[in-house]
Amino acid sequence: MYVGWYMKTKLLTITPETSVFKAREMMDNHRISHLPVTDGKAHLVGLVTDRDLRQVWASPATTLSVHELTYVLQKLTVANVMTRNVVTATPDMHIERAALIIHDKKFGALPVVKDDRLVGIITVTDLMQVVLTALGLSDNTKRLSLLAVDRIGLLAEVCNYMAQAGINISSVLFVPLVAHPDVWQVILRVNTEVYDKAVSILTEAGYKVITQYVEDLTAYLPR
């Protein structure tokens, strides 16, 4: 999965000369939280976020009257509040790398640049949609999980049991178990109609299947 497959390409942009009042209006009208700032020729020169604009509205200028505040904000441009050294992604960047940058930097979005030109933006919401799609979440599927020591052939073994039973796996995910670095959760999502059958088959195969929240996982840990 690559950023270019999931980024938004229909972008609203502004220039450094745009007033912060206009930028706020654009964000409100289009329900967005980020506005890339370009030179008017698709070259990225900055980024303005709703946080940047909230800080302007919360400045000492708020002691002015509504009329005076509106006048000031119409004169103040985004060049005064935008982030200039913008961290960006590229279309060929792996989606997980973009997610890591957003997580570590506590960003809400990454502008996407190719050949020094702005071509898109990817947001936290976009990444959440990728996660939900990868998890195979839908109304006609249910999830089950089991705990296992990471080893060669584990996934093939589990999938083989499902294949022999004619059960299609909608999604599969491996997640390390907190406080147990050698133990992984194998999370499967299967169709609701064959869910009980899948649980039964894996249980008979010796796996301790978890179908609901368990506070103490001791009994489910692999020996």
Side-chain angles (χ1 to χ4, degrees):
M1 294 186 291
Y2 298 93
V3 167
W5 295 354
Y6 298 97
M7 68 185 184
K8 290 183 175 69
T9 56
K10 294 182 179 179
L11 303 177
L12 285 175
T13 64
I14 54 178
T15 65
E17 294 76 28
T18 303
S19 71
V20 296
F21 189 87
K22 178 63 175 179
R24 176 77 276 169
E25 185 178 58
M26 291 173 65
M27 285 188 183
D28 290 343
N29 289 343
H30 295 277
R31 298 182 179 180
I32 57 177
S33 302
H34 304 80
L35 279 172
V37 185
T38 71
D39 62 356
K41 299 179 180 180
H43 295 108
L44 185 69
V45 296
L47 182 70
V48 172
T49 70
D50 58 346
R51 181 185 301 175
D52 297 327
L53 299 184
R54 285 199 305 271
Q55 289 177 342
V56 173
W57 258 258
S59 72
T62 54
T63 59
L64 302 174
S65 68
V66 173
H67 176 75
E68 292 170 326
L69 177 60
T70 300
Y71 177 81
V72 169
L73 295 178
Q74 286 175 334
K75 295 297 183 181
L76 183 66
T77 67
V78 298
N80 301 110
V81 300
M82 69 182 187
T83 298
R84 295 178 181 274
N85 298 319
V86 183
V87 178
T88 62
T90 57
D92 61 352
M93 179 182 286
H94 291 147
I95 200 76
E96 58 266 33
R97 174 60 59 182
L100 181 63
I101 293 172
I102 285 177
H103 175 271
D104 288 351
K105 300 291 186 179
K106 295 180 172 58
F107 291 157
L110 286 176
V112 185
V113 174
K114 179 182 180 181
D115 298 329
D116 295 325
R117 298 177 69 85
L118 179 70
V119 295
I121 191 169
I122 190 157
T123 69
V124 170
T125 300
D126 298 325
L127 293 175
M128 182 60 68
Q129 183 59 53
V130 172
V131 171
L132 293 175
T133 300
L135 290 174
L137 189 62
S138 67
D139 293 336
N140 64 342
T141 62
K142 293 178 66 176
R143 60 169 285 179
L144 58 88
S145 62
L146 50 93
L147 305 181
V149 175
D150 187 24
R151 56 181 171 80
I152 295 175
L154 173 60
L155 178 58
E157 183 180 286
V158 172
C159 290
N160 187 51
Y161 282 120
M162 296 293 95
Q164 290 179 352
I167 296 175
N168 181 56
I169 300 174
S170 297
S171 67
V172 59
L173 183 68
F174 277 69
V175 181
L177 187 64
V178 178
H180 297 277
D182 296 328
V183 179
W184 288 69
Q185 296 180 71
V186 183
I187 303 173
L188 306 178
R189 186 167 284 276
V190 300
N191 193 275
T192 304
E193 285 76 12
V194 296
Y195 180 78
D196 291 339
K197 182 179 178 181
V199 172
S200 177
I201 289 172
L202 291 174
T203 300
E204 290 174 3
Y207 295 106
K208 294 183 178 180
V209 182
I210 303 173
T211 59
Q212 60 185 1
Y213 172 69
V214 179
E215 185 171 353
D216 185 0
L217 290 172
T218 303
Y220 291 89
L221 293 174
R223 300 183 184 278

